[in-house]
DNA sequence: ACAGTGTTATGATAATTATCATTTTGTGAT
DNA sequence: ATCACAAAATGATAATTATCATAACACTGT
């Protein structure tokens, strides 16, 4: 079950900037039918969008905001699988091979999801080969990114890991050397596989070495090239 | 370019045990067309099947044998992404979103690949929605498995990691408590993200504690339940 | 304003893991 | 058979990382 914060609204697809990004294979009629069944769901920062184990009812992608995909193990510890930006799919490749989610999703910032009934999505994919291929390409790219990132993180030591994720936030997500960290230090740790204390410690070291400036959650990369070197070395 | 060891042969799809497993959505005509363009390629143990960066020309899956998918970084170190068994796809995720391979593949055992021209594959996917969905499901399942396994390995300590991969070989690949390790200790290390020495040391500890019996590459799991506990704890 | 709670921060210490050095064993090529 | 080379094995040591303890700070609800 999806927890709806606020009103679900019909998406005006003619206005939707995502239209060409995702569904450039539709003709007018198909697009109309598609959009008729599509809804937008707003979620406020911190709310849980999907809980691991619940039934997959929607295919969804992120229209605005920022969300994290994560797993919780038996002892209650979380592992962040990836952080999804606007235009990213929240539904991963498993969407068609599984009936239940193998991960949870929660909103790091106020976010809006576009959701389409999964059965409807399958129907369209069955009929429209171009759509199907487009979807496969996109889903493949997302999975690929997650796997490669996981391998990149794995081979780094603590300094390399922290440098890597700082650069990721700066380049991929905020496109700015100054940004507010959307996640706590603990969540950073859950993302890159280290302890919270060591994330904090490493950030402090970077600050002392004047590689970054820290003001609470606000972070400025002062020497991105040096961070790059640290990230690549590990 | 695919390095062909031995003769490429036409696949007799009527005999092929993989037919129903993969392509149960074809009618007779489609299957005939499909099989006309499908070839089998044999590779001997140790040979490189795909090199990172080369153009994707075929969609391929493993008919028999065992192969590893891996990446090589700038310093020449390998990371094993996954080990593929018969019935597994060798073409992953990126197959439709990339034009070049982002990983290499080599044969751990004498192996036979079934290869289909990627353009032909796309054509069929465009026309046949059922086929497309089936393919998406399969690709999704593979990607999902890789991502989850990567997360599982990441959260374990050295003992947990080694126990995990021993159980994987025993259960998932050989379905026997006694098996010949298809990979060297170094490759195990590259698979689970530790040093070769620590893999060897941990195996020796398991041997001393009578959890396993080691005879070169032959390994017998003497106390799988204890290994299970070690794997789950980490 | 205040208590309660979680996050950030830092230090001391323990545990884990990697590195380096060396020996033994196994394997393939000639 | 034997030479050469890679793999397996082990120990000693160094480096890295986690754990535990504690404190300051910030945020939330009353």
């Amino acid at each position: 079950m999806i927890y709806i914060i606020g009103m679900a609204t019909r998406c005006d697809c003619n206005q939707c900037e995502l239209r060409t990004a995702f569904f450039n294979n539709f003709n007018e009629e198909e697009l109309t039918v598609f959009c008729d069944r599509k809804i937008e769901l707003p979620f406020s920062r911190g709310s849980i969008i999907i809980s691991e184990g619940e039934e997959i009812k929607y295919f969804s992608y992120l229209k605005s905001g920022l969300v994290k995909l994560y797993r919780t193990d038996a002892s209650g510890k979380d592992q962040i699988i990836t952080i999804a930006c606007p235009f990213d799919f929240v539904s991963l490749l498993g969407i068609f091979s599984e009936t239940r989610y193998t991960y949870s999703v929660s909103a790091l910032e106020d976010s809006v999801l576009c959701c389409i009934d999964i059965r409807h999505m399958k129907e369209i994919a069955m009929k429209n080969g171009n759509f199907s291929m487009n979807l496969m390409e996109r889903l493949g790219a997302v999975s690929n990114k997650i796997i490669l990132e996981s391998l990149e993180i794995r081979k780094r030591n603590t300094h390399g890991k922290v440098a890597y994720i700082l650069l990721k936030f700066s380049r991929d997500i905020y496109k700015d050397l100054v940004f507010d960290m959307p996640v706590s230090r603990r969540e950073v740790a859950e993302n890159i596989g280290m302890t919270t204390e060591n994330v904090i410690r490493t950030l402090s070291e970077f600050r002392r070495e004047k590689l970054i400036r820290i003001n609470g959650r606000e972070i400025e990369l002062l020497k991105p090239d040096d961070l790059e070197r640290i990230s690549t070395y590990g």
Side-chain angles (χ1 to χ4, degrees), chain A residues 151-203:
Chain A
L151 292 167
E152 286 298 329
I153 286 170
R154 195 179 77 182
K155 70 181 179 192
R156 285 167 164 77
N157 62 16
T158 49
H159 281 64
K161 284 176 178 177
V162 173
Y164 181 87
I165 199 159
L166 287 177
L167 289 167
K168 186 183 127 176
F169 281 131
S170 172
R171 286 188 194 150
D172 300 349
I173 300 183
Y174 295 106
K175 292 145 183 45
D176 197 328
L177 291 174
V178 189
F179 55 89
D180 279 328
M181 290 270 273
V183 290
S184 68
R185 311 291 195 255
R186 183 170 53 76
E187 286 172 307
V188 169
E190 287 166 358
N191 193 344
I192 61 187
M194 22 187 303
T195 57
T196 308
E197 294 96 319
N198 278 334
V199 168
I200 292 169
R201 227 184 295 273
T202 305
L203 286 172

Side-chain angles (χ1 to χ4, degrees), chain A residues 15-230:
Chain A
Q15 302 286 46
C16 185
E17 74 275 27
L18 300 173
R19 177 175 167 177
T20 51
F22 288 125
F23 308 115
N24 50 3
N25 299 307
F26 285 146
N27 60 34
E28 273 308 312
E29 192 207 330
E30 283 168 332
L31 191 66
T32 305
V33 173
F34 187 80
C35 289
D36 270 1
R37 308 219 198 155
K38 194 149 77 66
I39 54 170
E40 286 189 5
L41 297 178
F43 293 91
S44 62
R45 184 168 177 276
S47 63
I48 293 173
I49 298 170
I50 291 164
S51 282
E52 200 170 333
E54 80 185 31
E55 203 186 332
I56 298 174
K57 289 183 179 159
Y58 298 97
F59 173 89
S60 55
Y61 60 86
L62 189 63
K63 187 165 183 180
S64 66
L66 204 70
V67 302
K68 66 169 177 177
L69 279 63
Y70 63 101
R71 281 171 14 112
T72 307
D73 72 12
S75 67
K77 281 180 194 155
D78 286 351
Q79 277 185 303
I80 293 182
I81 301 167
T82 192
I83 291 170
C85 309
F87 289 75
D88 281 345
F89 286 180
V90 167
S91 304
L92 299 184
L93 251 174
I95 194 83
F96 295 115
S97 55
E98 311 278 340
T99 57
R100 294 181 174 277
Y101 285 101
T102 55
Y103 54 89
S104 303
V105 181
S106 78
L108 296 172
E109 296 174 358
D110 290 348
S111 301
V112 176
L113 253 68
C114 271
C115 301
I116 303 111
D117 189 297
I118 186 75
R119 289 165 302 181
H120 184 217
M121 199 74 177
K122 283 184 185 178
E123 275 171 36
I124 302 171
M126 292 284 200
K127 280 186 216 150
N128 187 332
N130 279 311
F131 175 79
S132 213
M133 281 303 296
N134 199 302
L135 190 60
M136 221 184 298
E137 281 174 26
R138 297 262 330 173
L139 286 168
V142 174
S143 292
N144 231 8
K145 197 170 139 241
I146 291 173
I147 291 169
L148 293 182
E149 190 170 293
S150 171
L151 292 167
E152 286 298 329
I153 286 170
R154 195 179 77 182
K155 70 181 179 192
R156 285 167 164 77
N157 62 16
T158 49
H159 281 64
K161 284 176 178 177
V162 173
Y164 181 87
I165 199 159
L166 287 177
L167 289 167
K168 186 183 127 176
F169 281 131
S170 172
R171 286 188 194 150
D172 300 349
I173 300 183
Y174 295 106
K175 292 145 183 45
D176 197 328
L177 291 174
V178 189
F179 55 89
D180 279 328
M181 290 270 273
V183 290
S184 68
R185 311 291 195 255
R186 183 170 53 76
E187 286 172 307
V188 169
E190 287 166 358
N191 193 344
I192 61 187
M194 22 187 303
T195 57
T196 308
E197 294 96 319
N198 278 334
V199 168
I200 292 169
R201 227 184 295 273
T202 305
L203 286 172
S204 298
E205 282 179 51
F206 286 175
R207 173 171 46 71
R208 279 193 290 275
E209 291 161 14
K210 308 234 182 297
L211 298 170
I212 61 172
R213 181 179 58 74
I214 305 177
N215 179 22
R217 288 214 172 180
E218 186 185 276
I219 287 194
E220 179 177 2
L221 307 191
L222 299 173
K223 297 181 182 169
D225 294 348
D226 287 8
L227 287 169
E228 181 63 40
R229 219 165 296 127
I230 293 168

